[in-house]
Structure formats: structure tokens, C-alpha cells
Amino acid sequence: MSNQIIEVKNIGKKYNIAHQRGKYIALRDVLTNILKSPFHFLVKKTKAIAGLASKEEFWALKNVSFTVERGEVIGIIGRNGAGKSTLLKILSQITPPTEGEIILNGRVGSLLEVGTGFHPELTGRENIFLNGAILGMTRKEIARKFDQIVEFSGVEKFLDTPVKYYSSGMSVRLAFSVAAHLEPDILIIDEVLAVGDAEFQKKCLGKMDEITKKEGRTVLFVSHNIDAVKSLCTKTMLLDKGEIKIFGPTEKVVEYYFNKINTLNSITTYDEEKNNDAQINKISILNSQERPAAQIGINEPFYIEVEYEIKNPIGQAVLSLEIYSITGELLLFTTENDKTGELRKYETGKYHARIVIPSFLFNVGNYYFNASVVNPNVEYFDLKRNINFEILNIDNNKNKILKGNNWGKIATMLDYSVKKIS
Amino acid sequence: MEQIIIKPKKIFSWNDFKEVWQYRELLYFFAWRELKVRYKQTAIGISWAIFQPFVTMVVFSIFFGGLIKVPSDNIPYPIFVYVGLLIWQFFSASLSDASNSMVANQPIITKVYFPRLILPISTIITKFVDFAVSALILVGMMFYYHFTLHLVGMLILPLLILISFTAALGGGLILAAINVKYRDVRYVLPFFIQLLLYVTPVIYPASIAGKYSWILAINPMTGVIKAAQAAILGNAPINWLLLLISFTICLVILGSGVYIFKKTERFFADIL
């Protein structure tokens, strides 16, 4: 028998843009849209049937092939939207690939987010069983490892307390302990270490080290924590725009990654692709001196510029930005007409928009955004994803107060009027 | 060594059903979770399961039985309506909770793999426990009104529950799939379930419809509830033909439910 435990052949995953980021469709909106502009709807439908409609799809993964040997620990890194999570989701069978084939020689356990299925009303003890079952352990297995799990989590005293009374740190610890005691042949881990206090993180890393080195299990590890990847993984894969950019020894890949980030272009241009009603051609990030830069000091305002073209008149749309933290949390959904509250009637032509991001809005750290011409909740006319920028710690007094920490994502300074009243 | 092959998904394969069996322990855990949470505060949990059909029965008896004098085939109205309500509530609660099961468990579905079918199934199992609890009242009422259960009645009850289960699961699967796609459907659902109650002979006997009673027969729950009334109350012989029709319709619903559910299942994690 060969020693290959994972064999991925030409995997591709296609998404419908409308389905991205959990923007679901409301039947009500669909119906009112049809009633409001039946003509537009008819035109769209006929276009769709004739195959002329704008294809609102994009490939989250394309032509991904690789093999993993038994006992290897593979790191997967890349920018947000590079396809890391999609790859893990396919490997753990949460979502099927659109094309290609994967052969796994062993049981897969995934740990895509700790605490999946924790129920706040149930006690710690009950949640251990429930969570274990959800992660694929049998009742016997859980019972056998119960003591180990409890001991590792360090919440013995609160075992019979409902989890809703736990601090977030405690529930994360409990959840990780359950997951860490899974014994699949292939363990898939996504961003576990983004949570928990420093001490527990260390413990987790130690546990993962033990899992991989002593027990010789195969692990796929996705993280933004490059240090963790460096210390755990023998080989690393860099994904970019759904394709494998480089796959090899961790040192080499990480070095490549950092070089790439540093020269990261702050101007992104897009080829004209589809017969969309709207087309975003160029997105630039400019610093306060109006020079292109993807790294901006927290003390200066900066600009996001979007050049776009409206090819067919659009009845109702706005230009909009969705700004996310690096962990994928939507921080700000902003549109050009937030002040008036009305959608714009767009005529054909070329447009240029400049959005001012004030200084001290976002805290020090990495962010990314999507730009779109959109009728929110109804339709994307064009959507460009995952433009990164980084806010640097420059001339930041708050940072001094917080002793070098950058807590929170928003850095806005609020006015405090503090008076001594007695 | 176990080998798993992941490929673009086909709609159906026998493996899917085998898999549900393999995951039966998780099915049990989901049902257990729901029951545990509900019956956590034991007093409130159990009394709610009893309270709901009981109060409905009292209100219906006062208004429909007492004031409007809806006929009930010469059977005391309270027990007549309670038999129907018991089964109806099992059906309607199962249907509505099964339809919401996908959306309600979104965090798990998007993070972990397991055959999605077990979610609606486990939901209905929980409803069965409620059913059993509220059936206790029926036993009390039967003593009070001096009804005795015939052997046939005893034997037919599990069958009736099975049919209701089939109907609720089938309908629930269809609705669950729609619910994932159009998230506002769940707001109109209670309304339709409420409407459905009025075209089911729960508050009135099917005989009231006279020559139009065949219309009621399209509704699979009609056959079930009529048979339950016949078996427990003996107001009419059990209509086996009607029951067979009901069962067939339910199987068709279940079949299409499974089909629609499996067809959309592969997109669940993407849409949710």
C-alpha cells in the first residue's frame, strides 16, 4: 500500500456570486422585484435562457492537485478568499467540489471551528458528549476519553454547570479539549488558535505538536498565525486566487509569502470579463499623499478609489464597500448613498469614486474589503473581492496606554468629558 | 483502511441511506439534546407538553362543542376533539420544526459533515416524546368517559403514528429545502399550518362534509385522524381504503421530499 493518505486531483469549486457570504434571497424581494419591474425581469430571464446573461459565478478553487503522505503536517496559508477555507470544507465533505476528485485513505476529523454545536443550556458534561458526537466520536470513545478531556480543559469544577454561565475562555478551552481528543487519521484544523488566552494557546500548540509528532497523525492546518505554521508544519502550501502558488518546505513558502506581501500591489486592475451591466475596472488604495500604498499609518486618512463602468442603465444601485477584519468579520458595510438613504439611478458611462477613510477608524492590523455595484439584498451587478490593506502603528497614543496591545478593531477616539464632582 | 472518495455529488445513491444508519448515534444525540434542553426544567417542560393540547381542547370544547354545537358523532366533544388534536399537534409541530431544522442548525451544518437527513428526523423523534406525554391525558379522559380501547385500536395506533411521521417528514424535507433558499418562508409557514387544521377533521367530524368528504380525503391527515377516532372512540368502522390512500399519498410526499432535499442538500453549506 502506498503511503499517500490524501490525493487531490484537479479540484475545482464554483460559487454563485449571489450565494457568497451568506447573502440569502428573500422570496419577498424576488416577488416584489418581479412586480416592480416585470420588464427588466423578463429581459433577464430571456437572457438567461439564451445564455447571454452575465455569469455571476466565480471559481473559489481551480485545478488544485496535491498529495500528502501519512504523518505529514501541512500548513495552508494565503490571503482571505484565496480558497483555504473552501479547500478544507471540501476535504471535510461539508460542501462538494464542482469538479475533480479526492481520495482519502482514512477517517477525516475536522475542527473548523471549536465549539460547534455547543448548547448553552446544557452542562459542560453534556456538551462534551454532544460535541464529541457531532465531531464524529462514538459514545464509547467519548466515555473512554472523558477524564482526559476534562483534565485538559481545566474546567472540572464547572462540569455540571450549564455552559451559558461559562466565560468565553472556558468554553473555548472545553471545546478545544474535545476536538483535540478526536482520533481521526486526518485532522483538519482551521484557525483554532485565534481564540483563547496566550497561555491556553501555548497549551493548544503543545497538544497539536504532540498529536502530530508523537502520534504521527496527518494534519492540515490553516492559519493566519504564520509563527504557528512555522513551528508546526513541515510543508506549507500557499494558495492564491484559488490556485496553489507554491507548495514545499515551510521555510521557503513563508519567505516567499512575506516577500509577496511586502511588494503587494495596492492597485488592482480587472480584465473586462463578462457582459455585466456594470464592470469594476480598477481599485486603488492611496495614502494621504495620494501615493499607492497597501500599508497605511493609523494616524493618516487614506483613500480607496474605484473606477467602474456602467454598460447598461441600472435602475437602482449603489457603489458599496464591505470591509472585513482578517478573521472574516464584517466590520463595515458602506455605500455611496448612506446619507440620503436612496439607491442611485445609474446611466451608462464611466465613473470614478473616491472614498475617504478617516484616520483612526480602523485599529492596527490587517483588513480586506470587497467593492461592488449592488442593489443590496437583490443583486450584485459587479463584485470584486479581497483587496487587502494593513493599518500600521504610527503615532498612536492609545497603544501606549494599552502597553503595546491593539485591542479591538475600531480605533475611533471618543470624547470623554470627565469632571471631578466632589 | 477506510477509503473515502470525494467527487462532485450525484443526487442519489444507496450509500446515503446507509450513511444515515451509520450516523444513528448522532441522530440519537440530536434528539437527546433537544429533549434535554426542553425538559431541563422538568416541571415546565412536561407541563408545557400537556398544557398546550389540553387548553386547546378546553377552548375548542367550550366554543365549538358548547356554544356552536359542532356535531361530534354523538361522542362527548372534549374527547372527540382531543383525539384529533393529539395527532394533529404531533403532525403540525413535526412539520414546522422539521422545516426549520436546517436553518436552526446552520452553525453545525457549515462546520461539520454528517448526513443532513438526520436533522429533520431527529426533530420529529423529539416531537414524538411530546406526543407520548400528552397522550397520558387521553388515557385519563378515556377513563373518565368510560371508553375502552379495542385490540384493533391498540394495533392500529402505531401505524397511524407511522403515517403521520411519514407525512411530516416528507413535507418537512420539502419545506426545509425551500427554507434554506428563501429564508422568509418560515414566517408564512405557521399561517399555512393553521389553515391546514381547518381542512382536517379535527374540530368537526368528517361526516359533516357529506358528499364532499372526498375533498378532505386528499389531505393525508384526514385518513389518519378519522382512523384514530374510529379506533379509539368507535364512532365509525375504520375506513381501510381511506387509510390506504392516506398512506400512499404520504409515501409519495416522503419520496418527493427526500428527492428535493437531496437535490438541494449539496448546496446547503454554501447558501447557509
Side-chain angles (χ1 to χ4, degrees):
Chain A
M1 205 184 85
S2 89
N3 220 17
Q4 268 172 18
I5 190 157
I6 303 175
E7 191 178 357
V8 176
K9 291 185 225 159
N10 280 320
I11 283 294
K13 173 79 183 174
K14 187 171 69 179
Y15 275 111
N16 222 322
I17 287 189
H19 291 164
Q20 277 301 292
R21 304 219 171 269
K23 292 210 179 58
Y24 53 83
I25 322 161
L27 191 57
R28 171 176 38 111
D29 292 339
V30 175
L31 291 180
T32 45
N33 249 345
I34 295 176
L35 290 178
K36 259 193 196 155
S37 43
F39 183 68
H40 186 73
F41 175 77
L42 270 182
V43 171
K44 282 222 104 167
K45 269 284 165 212
T46 29
K47 265 189 181 171
I49 292 165
L52 294 170
S54 51
K55 287 214 178 69
E56 293 180 356
E57 50 190 38
F58 102 106
W59 289 86
L61 281 181
K62 189 94 182 120
N63 290 328
V64 171
S65 309
F66 61 94
T67 55
V68 176
E69 308 265 300
R70 196 171 298 276
E72 276 186 323
V73 183
I74 307 289
I76 301 175
I77 57 177
R79 298 201 279 172
N80 267 69
K84 301 176 309 240
S85 303
T86 309
L87 179 60
L88 292 201
K89 280 188 172 176
I90 292 174
L91 281 167
S92 48
Q93 286 178 278
I94 292 167
T95 180
T98 314
E99 55 180 39
E101 192 184 60
I102 297 175
I103 299 169
L104 303 169
N105 287 310
R107 197 168 76 144
V108 183
S110 67
L111 219 167
L112 293 193
E113 197 167 290
V114 283
T116 302
F118 261 34
H119 197 293
E121 292 287 340
L122 298 178
T123 66
R125 184 189 304 276
E126 289 160 346
N127 266 311
I128 290 179
F129 277 91
L130 177 66
N131 193 232
I134 289 175
L135 293 175
M137 285 192 247
T138 62
R139 218 175 334 162
K140 267 191 211 150
E141 239 179 296
I142 306 169
R144 186 158 50 81
K145 291 183 196 150
F146 189 82
D147 292 337
Q148 274 173 288
I149 294 177
V150 174
E151 194 196 329
F152 185 81
S153 70
V155 298
E156 293 96 335
K157 279 188 214 150
F158 307 98
L159 260 191
D160 294 306
T161 312
V163 164
K164 64 178 170 184
Y165 298 120
Y166 280 30
S167 70
S168 61
M170 275 160 68
S171 45
V172 167
R173 287 210 299 265
L174 186 61
F176 184 85
S177 319
V178 179
H181 290 83
L182 266 177
E183 278 177 0
D185 306 303
I186 305 164
L187 185 62
I188 293 179
I189 304 175
D190 189 5
E191 292 298 346
V192 203
L193 303 168
V195 279
D197 51 74
E199 193 191 338
F200 190 70
Q201 284 195 6
K202 227 187 256 166
K203 205 168 160 188
C204 293
L205 278 171
K207 179 74 190 173
M208 290 201 22
D209 218 40
E210 183 189 315
I211 291 175
T212 55
K213 294 201 176 118
K214 283 194 200 136
E215 302 171 24
R217 204 143 336 130
T218 313
V219 177
L220 296 183
F221 179 52
V222 163
S223 184
H224 282 111
N225 184 342
I226 300 288
D227 288 335
V229 171
K230 264 164 112 175
S231 72
L232 289 173
C233 307
T234 43
K235 279 172 86 181
T236 296
M237 172 190 304
L238 173 62
L239 283 176
D240 188 40
K241 291 182 184 145
E243 287 171 47
I244 297 180
K245 202 89 198 165
I246 167 171
F247 182 32
T250 301
E251 283 297 320
K252 239 176 77 187
V253 177
V254 168
E255 197 187 298
Y256 178 90
Y257 180 65
F258 275 125
N259 285 337
K260 198 170 157 255
I261 288 284
N262 288 340
T263 56
L264 191 128
N265 212 337
S266 74
I267 297 177
T268 321
T269 51
Y270 299 93
D271 301 332
E272 179 140 355
E273 16 181 331
K274 343 157 189 180
N275 39 359
N276 270 2
D277 290 341
Q279 161 84 34
I280 293 176
N281 294 317
K282 186 174 168 190
I283 300 174
S284 337
I285 305 172
L286 307 176
N287 65 14
S288 52
Q289 283 95 47
E290 313 216 353
R291 250 176 281 165
Q295 295 177 315
I296 317 273
I298 191 170
N299 62 337
E300 55 170 328
F302 66 102
Y303 309 104
I304 294 174
E305 292 194 338
V306 183
E307 283 173 32
Y308 55 112
E309 189 182 345
I310 304 296
K311 293 189 241 159
N312 293 310
I314 299 173
Q316 296 190 308
V318 279
L319 179 69
S320 120
L321 296 182
E322 298 155 35
I323 304 180
Y324 294 86
S325 69
I326 201 72
T327 45
E329 228 176 319
L330 177 58
L331 298 176
L332 179 62
F333 190 106
T334 154
T335 78
E336 58 173 317
N337 279 356
D338 285 348
K339 286 179 184 149
T340 62
E342 280 171 12
L343 297 170
R344 179 200 278 262
K345 190 167 165 27
Y346 262 108
E347 286 160 16
T348 35
K350 291 194 169 177
Y351 292 79
H352 176 275
R354 166 181 273 205
I355 299 122
V356 185
I357 313 284
S359 60
F360 292 104
L361 174 59
F362 295 111
N363 209 345
V364 175
N366 281 289
Y367 300 85
Y368 68 100
F369 66 89
N370 300 343
S372 60
V373 177
V374 61
N375 182 351
N377 253 336
V378 179
E379 187 175 8
Y380 279 105
F381 299 99
D382 197 12
L383 168 67
K384 297 292 185 243
R385 299 151 41 85
N386 304 313
I387 316 288
N388 286 16
F389 63 88
E390 185 181 357
I391 303 289
L392 304 175
N393 191 15
I394 296 174
D395 206 6
N396 182 7
N397 290 330
K398 175 150 75 176
N399 190 272
K400 291 178 200 158
I401 297 177
L402 302 184
K403 314 228 163 26
N405 287 302
N406 296 303
W407 289 326
K409 305 283 184 210
I410 305 292
T412 308
M413 298 181 187
L414 305 178
D415 285 328
Y416 282 65
S417 53
V418 179
K419 274 181 273 181
K420 186 164 191 277
I421 49 172
S422 66
Chain B
M1 179 58 66
E2 179 177 3
Q3 190 177 60
I4 303 164
I5 295 178
I6 304 174
K7 273 196 230 176
K9 256 198 184 152
K10 287 198 292 272
I11 293 179
F12 260 126
S13 65
W14 275 113
N15 270 337
D16 294 335
F17 296 99
K18 250 178 32 201
E19 219 180 23
V20 172
W21 177 246
Q22 282 168 0
Y23 276 80
R24 62 190 181 279
E25 206 161 79
L26 186 58
L27 178 78
Y28 156 80
F29 266 111
F30 278 135
W32 171 82
R33 172 186 71 173
E34 216 145 295
L35 286 173
K36 194 97 191 183
V37 171
R38 190 124 43 97
Y39 289 89
K40 193 105 209 181
Q41 285 118 346
T42 328
I44 296 175
I46 293 182
S47 53
W48 183 242
I50 293 180
F51 182 81
Q52 225 182 337
F54 185 74
V55 171
T56 320
M57 181 269 289
V58 170
V59 171
F60 280 8
S61 300
I62 294 174
F63 288 94
F64 295 117
L67 298 178
I68 310 180
K69 301 214 184 323
V70 174
S72 53
D73 294 344
N74 297 322
I75 285 165
Y77 192 80
I79 192 166
F80 169 80
V81 83
Y82 197 78
V83 171
L85 270 179
L86 200 58
I87 294 188
W88 174 256
Q89 290 207 332
F90 168 61
F91 170 75
S92 67
S94 302
L95 181 65
S96 77
D97 280 21
S99 335
N100 282 328
S101 57
M102 289 295 124
V103 177
N105 287 293
Q106 166 184 359
I108 308 181
I109 292 179
T110 50
K111 301 279 155 48
V112 186
Y113 173 76
F114 56 86
R116 310 308 187 197
L117 262 176
I118 69 176
L119 278 173
I121 297 177
S122 79
T123 318
I124 300 183
I125 291 176
T126 352
K127 292 296 171 255
F128 176 72
V129 176
D130 285 353
F131 169 81
V133 171
S134 45
L136 291 177
I137 291 196
L138 180 67
V139 176
M141 286 175 84
M142 287 177 69
F143 275 116
Y144 182 81
Y145 287 108
H146 303 293
F147 279 99
T148 40
L149 200 53
H150 325 284
L151 188 63
V152 191
M154 290 279 236
L155 292 178
I156 201 176
L157 277 180
L159 177 67
L160 297 180
I161 290 164
L162 179 71
I163 301 179
S164 317
F165 181 90
T166 323
L169 182 60
L173 289 176
I174 298 177
L175 290 167
I178 298 178
N179 224 337
V180 170
K181 186 151 187 210
Y182 301 111
R183 214 61 68 79
D184 49 353
V185 168
R186 65 179 142 160
Y187 302 116
V188 274
L189 200 63
F191 168 70
F192 280 105
I193 292 182
Q194 188 67 34
L195 271 190
L196 219 52
L197 171 65
Y198 298 113
V199 294
T200 314
V202 173
I203 29 185
Y204 53 86
S207 54
I208 207 174
K211 61 178 174 174
Y212 296 110
S213 58
W214 60 270
I215 299 180
L216 291 176
I218 299 173
N219 174 356
M221 290 311 288
T222 299
V224 177
I225 287 176
K226 270 183 80 174
Q229 288 162 345
I232 297 171
L233 308 172
N235 58 339
I238 293 171
N239 187 338
W240 292 102
L241 177 67
L242 185 62
L243 203 55
L244 185 69
I245 297 176
S246 291
F247 200 21
T248 319
I249 295 179
C250 288
L251 286 179
V252 172
I253 296 178
L254 180 64
S256 23
V258 173
Y259 178 78
I260 293 174
F261 187 85
K262 294 300 293 184
K263 206 176 132 187
T264 36
E265 181 187 43
R266 40 198 178 143
F267 306 116
F268 282 172
D270 298 341
I271 306 178
L272 273 173

